[in-house]
Amino acid sequence: MTRSIAHQTIAELGGPGSVLVRQRRDHAELDRLIQRLDGAQGTDQEEVLMRLDRLVFSHAFAEEAVLWPVVRRVLPDGEALTLRIEQEHQEVNELVSALEEGGLDDPGRPARLARLVEVLREDVRDEEDLLLPQLQEAVGVAELRSLGRRWALVSRIAPTRPHPTVSRRPPGNAASALPLSLLDRTRDLVDTLTRRAPARLAPVGRAVSAGLASVAGVVERVPLARRGDREPTSR
């Protein structure tokens, strides 16, 4: 019987550099951000959501680019397991996109936020209790550490915003990663500066951010960026 990685020691998971430890650390940070999100309003809520987005989307991209191909190779039911989690990732992309489009005054915002938290918690449970323990049993500690190094590198250069039309699998995700990451991280900086700038400068910052979002939308729709997806996660 597999043991959830939530209940194992760092040594059991393969040491500090293991991908399992890195995954669990991100999940713990996600839980802290979700707790901060509860009760946050206005610009404070936007700030927490931006931090949550940066964590969630870079984390998911690293999983899909580094971990899931290995899971599909070494586990008999790897295809079904990764597709299930990719569907959760796709729903998170669509929920966050809707939150961005609707803004703070959207009457549907509370329901979308509640569903976002629900899906994120489901995703963590599926990974920690189901998929990652099976990966742990299928590969050795050396490979867990090697995967950890690759996962950490990819997550540092991954996109940080929702991109629902981009494929969740190669070659689409790999082809679109660099331009989307540059656009997302520039937009993150612009949005942060805009929230802290004098009110008279805010329209300029919002216009720059919207322009970057439009360029990202063009990149998302390049045919190569959409190749490799499965039907349940394609849009």
Side-chain angles (χ1 to χ4, degrees):
M1 181 177 178
T2 58
R3 290 176 61 205
S4 171
I5 70 166
H7 307 305
Q8 297 185 46
T9 66
I10 290 176
E12 288 174 321
L13 295 174
S18 166
V19 71
L20 303 180
V21 174
R22 296 178 189 273
Q23 288 277 106
R24 191 172 68 178
R25 187 183 303 130
D26 268 13
H27 292 166
E29 176 62 18
L30 173 62
D31 186 64
R32 285 191 287 271
L33 288 170
I34 288 174
Q35 291 182 43
R36 287 188 58 190
L37 188 62
D38 184 26
Q41 300 292 329
T43 56
D44 289 341
Q45 186 184 90
E46 287 187 322
E47 180 75 25
V48 176
L49 271 174
M50 190 187 76
R51 294 185 182 187
L52 187 147
D53 291 350
R54 293 189 65 172
L55 173 67
V56 165
F57 293 118
S58 60
H59 177 103
F61 182 86
E63 288 178 335
E64 292 167 354
V66 175
L67 285 188
W68 294 176
V70 176
V71 170
R72 288 191 284 270
R73 175 171 55 83
V74 302
L75 297 183
D77 56 347
E79 172 66 30
L81 286 170
T82 55
L83 184 58
R84 172 175 171 173
I85 293 177
E86 286 168 346
Q87 287 175 273
E88 293 167 347
H89 290 176
Q90 182 66 18
E91 185 173 1
V92 168
N93 269 259
E94 293 176 357
L95 285 166
V96 174
S97 293
L99 287 167
E100 288 187 351
E101 291 166 7
L104 290 170
D105 298 326
D106 183 1
R109 189 176 181 87
R112 290 194 179 104
L113 282 171
R115 179 57 184 164
L116 176 62
V117 169
E118 182 181 9
V119 177
L120 289 172
R121 293 201 185 280
E122 287 174 0
D123 183 64
V124 169
R125 286 195 298 270
D126 284 343
E127 292 178 9
E128 292 194 349
D129 300 345
L130 185 63
L131 188 148
L132 294 175
Q134 292 188 49
L135 176 65
Q136 181 184 27
E137 291 184 347
V139 303
V141 170
E143 185 162 3
L144 289 175
R145 292 173 179 170
S146 174
L147 286 170
R149 291 190 291 272
R150 289 161 52 198
W151 181 93
L153 174 61
V154 171
S155 67
R156 282 197 290 270
I157 59 174
T160 60
R161 297 272 181 155
H163 299 290
T165 62
V166 171
S167 173
R168 311 233 68 82
R169 299 190 181 191
N173 61 354
S176 61
L178 181 58
L180 288 178
S181 179
L182 290 172
L183 289 164
D184 288 355
R185 291 168 187 270
T186 303
R187 192 176 169 207
D188 289 343
L189 178 60
V190 169
D191 287 354
T192 297
L193 294 174
T194 299
R195 280 193 290 273
R196 298 172 183 174
R200 68 180 185 279
L201 298 178
V204 176
R206 287 194 290 268
V208 172
S209 181
L212 292 167
S214 296
V215 175
V218 172
V219 174
E220 283 188 53
R221 288 166 177 77
V222 172
L224 180 58
R226 307 183 72 172
R227 287 181 55 194
D229 235 348
R230 296 300 184 268
E231 185 60 31
T233 61
S234 63
R235 174 174 167 179

